[in-house]
Amino acid sequence: MNIDLTGKTAVVTGSTKGIGKGIAQGLAAAGATVVVTGRTQAQIDQLVSSLGNNARGHLVDLGTEAGCSALVKAEPHCDILVNNVGIFPQSDFFATDDRVWQNIFDINVMSAVRLSRAWMPQMLKNNWGRVVFLSSESAINIPADMIHYGFSKTALLALSRGLAKAAAGSGVTVNSVLPGPTLSDGFADFFKQELEQGADLEQLGVEFVKANRPTSIIQRAASVEEVSNMVVYVCSPQASATTGAALRVDGGVVETPF
């Protein structure tokens, strides 16, 4: 299958590290002009330089209305929107105050609401577009130590399905992708101490999955590329009949076939 996104502009939020970076690289390799966002200018510049295809980046806080508005103003045209930006702090439910809940909601959910609301009308007018939400298997298997995170990812499933229906009969598709444990930068940060002592990241992934996600069928963490491959496909012209779907790249963690 040859995925060709030449002539398409793709915005990937939260894309200077981890899964977002992998998605940006995959879309650029397919010919898209990629717009990346982040919170560190040096990381943005480095990624933009490596992507080619007239890639560009913006230093914005997408957890605020002003940040989302600034991005839309700077990039008035978007064919492909990948709502990837998100945070996942571990916190005991009973010790998590309103401020943390609001911050999770603003970054993980409202950024996707605001950007979809801004760019989807143009996609509908052009009768072509792709909107993808990065949810998580935690949207279904709510983790006890990250209930706020699971809640935000479940909200994205509802948003994705509803917007797919709003685009019914058009050439615009809306889907969510649900990764499981992934060997991302965030995963590496979680095991920073072990890695500094010489541990192997892939082996740590195996041990984590077996201890914390025992229902996994692949019995390991996925690579960033394995997740980004799914996203790139969903963004492609070939995926025109896939919409309103929750597409799992969880290694079989979730104990249902659908």
Side-chain angles (χ1 to χ4, degrees):
M1 181 183 296
N2 178 31
I3 294 176
D4 186 1
L5 294 171
T6 303
K8 304 298 185 185
T9 297
V11 177
V12 185
T13 64
S15 40
T16 55
K17 297 191 295 183
I19 291 173
K21 182 177 180 180
I23 293 168
Q25 292 170 329
L27 292 172
T33 295
V34 179
V35 176
V36 302
T37 78
R39 302 289 299 275
T40 304
Q41 189 65 55
Q43 292 177 342
I44 293 171
D45 293 341
Q46 183 178 25
L47 179 57
V48 166
S49 177
S50 70
L51 291 178
N53 295 341
N54 298 311
R56 47 192 180 267
H58 300 279
L59 183 72
V60 287
D61 179 2
L62 296 179
T64 67
E65 184 177 2
C68 290
S69 296
L71 178 60
V72 172
K73 183 177 180 179
E75 298 292 341
H77 180 75
C78 173
D79 301 297
I80 297 167
L81 170 60
V82 181
N83 289 301
N84 170 76
V85 69
I87 57 175
F88 45 96
Q90 285 187 301
S91 176
D92 176 77
F93 173 81
F94 300 102
T96 305
D97 61 24
D98 287 1
R99 179 188 56 82
V100 175
W101 274 91
Q102 190 64 56
N103 192 42
I104 285 274
F105 186 71
D106 286 340
I107 295 173
N108 293 14
V109 181
M110 286 308 299
S111 65
V113 169
R114 289 165 176 149
L115 297 179
S116 301
R117 186 172 59 202
W119 280 314
M120 270 191 71
Q122 177 193 80
M123 296 180 189
L124 291 167
K125 183 178 179 180
N126 295 336
N127 200 38
W128 199 95
R130 299 287 184 264
V131 180
V132 183
F133 297 86
L134 264 292
S135 181
S136 168
E137 54 92 8
S138 293
I140 301 170
N141 286 333
I142 307 293
D145 58 349
M146 292 197 296
I147 293 173
H148 45 5
Y149 173 74
F151 154 82
S152 72
K153 293 302 181 177
T154 305
L156 292 182
L157 295 182
L159 181 59
S160 173
R161 180 67 182 179
L163 285 178
K165 291 181 177 181
S170 75
V172 178
T173 67
V174 186
N175 294 285
S176 54
V177 172
L178 288 68
T182 305
L183 299 175
S184 63
D185 292 301
F187 190 86
D189 288 343
F190 186 76
F191 290 103
K192 182 178 180 180
Q193 184 175 352
E194 290 87 344
L195 292 171
E196 289 176 347
Q197 295 173 351
D200 177 75
L201 184 61
E202 289 190 12
Q203 183 57 38
L204 288 172
V206 170
E207 294 170 3
F208 174 86
V209 167
K210 289 184 177 181
N212 298 280
R213 300 292 190 275
T215 56
S216 170
I217 295 173
I218 63 173
Q219 289 288 289
R220 61 174 175 83
S223 69
V224 167
E225 185 178 25
E226 286 174 318
V227 176
S228 63
N229 284 344
M230 174 68 84
V231 177
V232 172
Y233 168 70
V234 173
C235 293
S236 73
Q238 289 92 329
S240 55
T242 302
T243 191
L247 304 165
R248 299 195 335 238
V249 197
D250 66 336
V253 168
V254 178
E255 281 274 46
T256 61
F258 49 83

